[in-house]
Amino acid sequence: MHNVAKIRTIKISERKLNRVFNLASQLYLLGKELLRNVEDAGLAYSSLAKTILDSEKVLTEIYSEVLRLKLTPLHGVFRKLRRTAYDLARELGKKVNVIVEGGDIAIDKRTVETLIDPLVHIVRNAIDHGIEYPNERVRVGKKEEGTLKIKAERKGVEIVITIEDDGKGINVEEVKRKAVEKGIISANEAKRLTWDDIVKILTIPGFSTKTETTDISGRGVGMDVVKRNVEALGGAFTITSQYGKGTKVTIKIPLTSVIVKSLVAKSSNQLYAIPVSSVIKVMKIKSNTEMLLFGDNPIPVLKVLLPSNPQYVIIVKAKNNALKGLAVDNILKEDDLIVQPIPLILRKSVSRLIGGIVLLSEKRIAFLLNVNELH
């Protein structure tokens, strides 16, 4: 009989893991700061510098190992979503090609646990409600095989997950008719509905445009739970659709448990951190300008951080790669900072422009800006 090696596992509370992660992150940053200080003092080739460099390598390893305990790549989740899509399509007699991108992106394990059921529901919804039967697709000039694309990407201080199909899309008139029939809105109100109103109706518990509740359409969570779970993580949930063309569901989740190289600025006695990856240039200004030239391009200068005495403009790459200028009172430094989530009690009262909280080495708090929310 062969001896089989047993893998032993232990459970650790989330609170303790977060505590260990925060300590490991602070040690990692302290190691880098020590090394910088020694080099600035002209001791780069001293025995002290060598000892600190060796220590910094060990601290980096500790940080990396703890980070691996706290985060998990999306590969496993995406495999489950792909399998769900293929199994359901086969069960319904539909054809689909599932394309997956960004499975190597790692997010907090707690976030994965919160998102897994909503993501499965969105995929099932895309196959059941969205992708047409092969003969229906051919009749409207489409390929027999539908396409479902599942993608994750990191944008600034957010993880963006999109699930997009090329199915029949959302029939707005059918949603209105069903909402009137169920007494959710009146016939007059239905005539004035915007797309945002349609999305709100789609996320009402139990709402469906299907005439019959099947084992598929009635199983598991609904779009209301998807929205609630995403917002509980401090994220945002949107649906876009074109009737006859397809539907796209976008989930934005704030980055946490990571270190982000940031530019720290001060405005109206409040500290802000702007990810360096989003910063194009920092410009000194002499007046309270509303526009400035960057090369040959006029850039709008935004006062969203409410500067009392604007001295600098930070040009950032915002939504859709548009360039925006952020007016601030002062620029303090560039530093590696640990991103922490916004406390649950504050999420509803904090602007979407705030993507997280960072703790500075001086024990001060700064708000991490989500420049993708700049318009």
Side-chain angles (χ1 to χ4, degrees), residues 159-307:
I159 298 294
V160 181
I161 300 173
T162 54
I163 299 177
E164 184 175 10
D165 68 73
D166 67 344
K168 58 189 174 187
I170 294 171
N171 187 335
V172 171
E173 293 307 315
E174 180 63 18
V175 173
K176 290 179 181 179
R177 188 190 66 77
K178 206 70 174 175
V180 171
E181 184 183 297
K182 289 177 176 286
I184 296 170
I185 55 172
S186 68
N188 283 333
E189 287 172 326
K191 297 175 184 177
R192 300 190 299 271
L193 290 185
T194 64
W195 176 252
D196 287 344
D197 296 327
I198 295 294
V199 172
K200 285 177 184 175
I201 291 172
L202 292 171
T203 54
I204 291 174
F207 182 84
S208 175
T209 56
K210 282 217 163 188
T211 53
E212 297 178 3
T213 301
T214 65
D215 181 47
I216 294 162
S217 62
R219 185 188 301 175
V221 299
M223 280 296 180
D224 59 311
V225 178
V226 174
K227 185 173 184 290
R228 188 164 66 245
N229 283 17
V230 170
E231 291 178 348
L233 294 168
F237 163 86
T238 57
I239 304 173
T240 54
S241 184
Q242 187 176 354
Y243 188 50
K245 300 293 185 182
T247 300
K248 182 178 182 179
V249 178
T250 303
I251 292 173
K252 296 179 180 179
I253 302 296
L255 266 179
T256 57
S257 305
V258 292
I259 291 175
V260 175
K261 186 175 283 296
S262 304
L263 188 67
V264 181
K266 187 176 184 181
S267 207
S268 294
N269 292 319
Q270 176 60 56
L271 298 178
Y272 296 94
I274 299 97
V276 168
S277 60
S278 300
V279 176
I280 305 298
K281 190 177 179 67
V282 176
M283 301 179 71
K284 178 83 172 168
I285 56 172
K286 294 181 180 178
S287 61
N288 203 350
T289 181
E290 293 185 357
M291 296 287 293
L292 57 81
L293 278 177
F294 180 59
D296 295 328
N297 301 315
I299 304 295
V301 176
L302 309 179
K303 307 293 195 307
V304 292
L305 304 184
L306 306 175

Side-chain angles (χ1 to χ4, degrees), residues 54-71:
D54 291 341
S55 300
E56 195 258 347
K57 288 177 181 176
V58 174
L59 293 175
T60 300
E61 282 292 316
I62 292 172
Y63 169 73
S64 299
E65 287 299 322
V66 176
L67 192 61
R68 274 192 282 271
L69 290 175
K70 190 166 172 56
L71 304 185

